Amino acid sequence: MKISKKIFGILSNGKKVKLYTLSAGDLKLSLTNFGAAWTSLIAPSRQGIADDILLGYSGLDGYLNNEPYIGVTVGRFANRIKGASFNLFGSTYPLEANDGENSLHSGPRGFDKLLWDSEAYEENEGVFVRFELKSPDGDCGFPGNLKAVISYGLTKSNEVVCDYHAKTDKSCPVNITNHAYFNLKGEGKGSILLHDALLHCSSYVEVDKTGIPTGRLVPVYGTDFDFKTKRKICQADSFLKPFKGYDHCFAVDGEIGKLRPCAEVYESNSGRSLKVFTTQPGVQFYTGNHLVKTIGKQGSVYVKHSGFCLETQHFPDTPNRQGFPSCLVSPGKDYNEKAVFAFAVN
């Protein structure tokens, strides 16, 4: 196992941005403390070829102008909140709208746009980076002074381990996740629509045309959302025409709060596979529908369906939906969630 660190760039205020590279098992993971972002993940193929399987940018400038949220940690509240506001204990909290009339990933200056404190360390069978951020009362419109502590690490058994923790001095909704885009063929190597996918999800969160939940959880069986058995992400145009792909939250089967299987993805040419586990209620399955000629690493150009995301999280618009699993964090009730991304070659 190995940890290396270098300067990734310098912000306009003179602060230095760090880039960490963690090596363990067969993988090499790089992360930066700007946006607590995953910048690359080098993984071998069946043929013994090492590819970077994460979409990303070659330098800091890309992450400073990162409209697709590539690789970053999003919060305080990931995903959409209807009408860019929510009501809590009789008080209304207006947020910044950045997705039509709605708030997406907490508005234009969420956790993904901030410089986190960071340190690397080795523990047990892995190497990790610990990121810490203090979000003041009123930040992005949310109540309470919140402290977020996140660790991302790489184990000898080829797992990326994600631990999310937060505490606050006032009750507030919290929903933190990472927005990594994967392509198991390798970044810049075409579409992900012919990857094989399986979701351990018997229902999905129905949404309107703006991505806001209707309040219904709909069974997936016999629909375009049925990934209970492994199949190609999309083989026909029929689903792509109305939706342009997937950007939907699926309800993960099993007991919320316990680490359990969430998703599996396999790419036959490389032999690379990914299995995801989560403690959270849902996973946002996104197929990069809004990527439009995004300039990525080493001249790669990311277009629609160049990568997929599996964002473990609470359901969208949970602060406005009493029937959804609670995302409320309060003094004495901290936020503690975990996700594991396990890689293999078959």
Side-chain angles (χ1 to χ4, degrees), residues 85 119 174 183 220 274 292:
S85 71
E119 62 176 354
V174 177
N183 186 325
V220 301
L274 164 63
V292 182

Side-chain angles (χ1 to χ4, degrees), residues 47-308:
Q47 298 81 13
I49 299 171
D51 285 306
D52 189 348
I53 60 172
L54 284 183
L55 275 59
Y57 305 102
S58 295
L60 176 61
D61 285 351
Y63 294 93
L64 296 176
N65 302 280
N66 186 7
E67 186 176 346
Y69 298 93
I70 292 177
V72 293
T73 297
V74 287
R76 285 186 190 188
F77 193 91
N79 217 314
R80 294 170 176 86
I81 294 180
K82 182 179 180 178
S85 71
F86 64 93
N87 186 281
L88 184 62
F89 304 134
S91 296
T92 298
Y93 293 90
L95 311 173
E96 292 186 77
N98 63 329
D99 186 48
E101 296 179 351
N102 306 316
S103 171
L104 175 64
H105 300 322
S106 302
R109 195 171 183 271
F111 286 179
D112 59 294
K113 304 295 194 305
L114 302 178
L115 188 66
W116 296 59
D117 293 332
S118 60
E119 62 176 354
Y121 62 97
E122 185 174 328
E123 183 177 270
N124 299 327
E125 297 296 301
V127 280
F128 300 83
V129 181
R130 180 181 185 271
F131 297 100
E132 183 176 316
L133 185 69
K134 291 182 180 178
S135 176
D137 188 16
D139 190 17
C140 299
F142 291 91
N145 295 292
L146 181 136
K147 179 181 178 181
V149 178
I150 297 170
S151 67
Y152 295 130
L154 197 57
T155 70
K156 289 182 178 178
S157 52
N158 297 324
E159 295 177 337
V160 176
V161 178
C162 316
D163 283 299
Y164 302 98
H165 304 284
K167 58 175 55 185
T168 179
D169 62 359
K170 289 182 184 178
S171 295
C172 68
V174 177
N175 189 24
I176 304 173
T177 192
N178 185 270
H179 208 296
Y181 287 71
F182 298 93
N183 186 325
L184 298 184
K185 290 188 291 189
E187 65 84 25
K189 292 191 174 182
S191 172
I192 48 79
L193 291 181
L194 294 184
H195 284 41
D196 294 289
L198 182 153
L199 299 179
H200 297 277
C201 305
S202 299
S203 59
Y204 72 97
V205 179
E206 184 182 61
V207 294
D208 64 19
K209 63 182 180 181
T210 68
I212 294 298
T214 65
R216 297 178 62 223
L217 296 185
V218 179
V220 301
Y221 300 102
T223 73
D224 286 313
F225 299 89
D226 190 349
F227 287 93
K228 289 291 288 181
T229 55
K230 191 174 288 185
R231 66 174 176 85
K232 303 297 181 187
I233 290 176
C234 192
Q235 289 180 289
D237 291 336
S238 59
F239 180 72
L240 297 182
K241 285 178 181 176
F243 291 101
K244 300 181 181 179
Y246 293 93
D247 189 8
H248 298 81
C249 191
F250 289 73
V252 180
D253 295 342
E255 184 178 346
I256 296 171
K258 287 195 173 183
L259 191 67
R260 62 207 190 281
C262 167
E264 301 178 24
V265 184
Y266 175 71
E267 201 285 306
S268 59
N269 291 327
S270 66
R272 296 186 183 102
S273 66
L274 164 63
K275 292 184 179 180
V276 184
F277 304 81
T278 183
T279 58
Q280 302 234 58
V283 58
Q284 186 82 7
F285 182 40
Y286 175 52
T287 51
N289 315 328
H290 303 294
L291 292 171
V292 182
K293 295 184 179 179
T294 299
I295 304 302
K297 302 169 188 174
Q298 301 174 3
S300 293
V301 179
Y302 305 140
V303 296
K304 188 187 299 182
H305 309 140
S306 291
F308 68 89

